[in-house]
Amino acid sequence: MSSLIPTSFYARDTRIVARELLGKGLRHGGVLLRITETEAYCPDDTANHCRAGRTVRNAAMWGPPGRAYVYLCYGLHQMLNLVTEADGVGAAVLIRACEPLEGLEVIGERRGGRSGPALLTGPGKVGQALALDRSWCHHPLDEPGGLEVLDAPAPEGVLVGPRIGIGYASAEHGAAPWRFAVAGSPWVSHRKGLVALR
DNA sequence: ACAAGGATCCTCT
DNA sequence: GAGGATCCTTGTT
């Protein structure tokens, strides 16, 4: 796990990018993580922050692919997304959960001394473990030494299911199987509702 | 200037 | 499985 993923990887259908991000590396703040759970937020998606058009907060999602979109949820959680699709299209992949590979001690400190899957199963937890804040919004993900996304082999099996916490979306989008997770991994939030990808 | 609403987390049952 | 904490962003006066 060493090479940075190029921008072209992100300039594709958001659901494909979300699935293929499983297993990839995430390095920042002295910590290396393996992505184990993602969600796709697509164009024309009623669960998407961009559903009401462009705003100061969601500007990064409308921008070029391969950059970070970090936003504050419930006034306290820093949520990491990776911007997808062409420049001018509002779409991104939310990183929901990860497995720790390096820096376990630092992660534990940032997560209030917790241990086990509670460390990293949830998007707010991932942001906290990586020491991210909104100053990282718009940051290019292929820049060495910054917030790095590293290439790695795809997992053996993938699970899919509906996304979490989007009760405000339409019935169609609320049920869409746009959440992806590494099969058999304990580092996944809300296991219920996930099924093997054909 | 104000009110409303969250892509969650944690602590209980 | 359910409910409260918490405070910024947004759209509306």
Side-chain angles (χ1 to χ4, degrees):
Chain A
M1 185 178 295
S2 55
S3 66
L4 289 158
I5 295 177
T7 297
S8 57
F9 174 88
Y10 303 94
R12 298 180 293 156
D13 185 287
T14 305
R15 288 156 291 190
I16 303 287
V17 177
R19 173 163 51 80
E20 295 191 3
L21 275 171
L22 294 176
K24 304 303 189 208
L26 213 44
R27 189 194 292 280
H28 181 256
V31 164
L32 176 63
L33 308 179
R34 175 176 181 250
I35 298 172
T36 50
E37 183 182 350
T38 60
E39 279 179 359
Y41 286 86
C42 303
D44 301 317
D45 175 359
T46 53
N48 191 325
H49 281 172
C50 296
R51 62 190 179 280
R54 189 172 196 139
T55 65
V56 172
R57 178 172 78 143
N58 68 28
M61 287 183 77
W62 295 97
R67 298 195 178 189
Y69 167 49
V70 182
Y71 76 93
L72 195 60
C73 180
Y74 289 90
L76 67 161
H77 304 297
Q78 311 282 344
M79 314 272 272
L80 172 62
N81 299 252
L82 311 184
V83 178
T84 60
E85 312 262 358
D87 192 359
V89 178
V93 172
L94 170 69
I95 307 299
R96 281 197 59 88
C98 291
E99 170 185 350
L101 295 182
E102 295 176 15
L104 190 59
E105 192 169 316
V106 177
I107 297 171
E109 287 174 14
R110 288 176 185 153
R111 292 282 303 120
R114 291 180 181 77
S115 60
L119 275 178
L120 286 167
T121 51
K125 302 175 186 180
V126 172
Q128 190 177 18
L130 287 169
L132 289 175
D133 59 51
R134 281 167 299 160
S135 67
W136 287 92
C137 198
H138 296 96
H139 185 83
L141 302 168
D142 60 353
E143 183 180 302
L147 170 58
E148 301 180 339
V149 184
L150 303 165
D151 200 8
E156 302 236 338
V158 171
L159 306 178
V160 300
R163 294 170 290 176
I164 301 296
I166 54 166
Y168 54 85
S170 71
E172 177 193 352
H173 294 145
W178 293 346
R179 182 160 70 107
F180 303 89
V182 173
S185 173
W187 302 95
V188 173
S189 69
H190 299 90
R191 313 279 276 277
K192 192 179 165 188
L194 293 172
V195 298
L197 177 60
R198 32 179 180 154

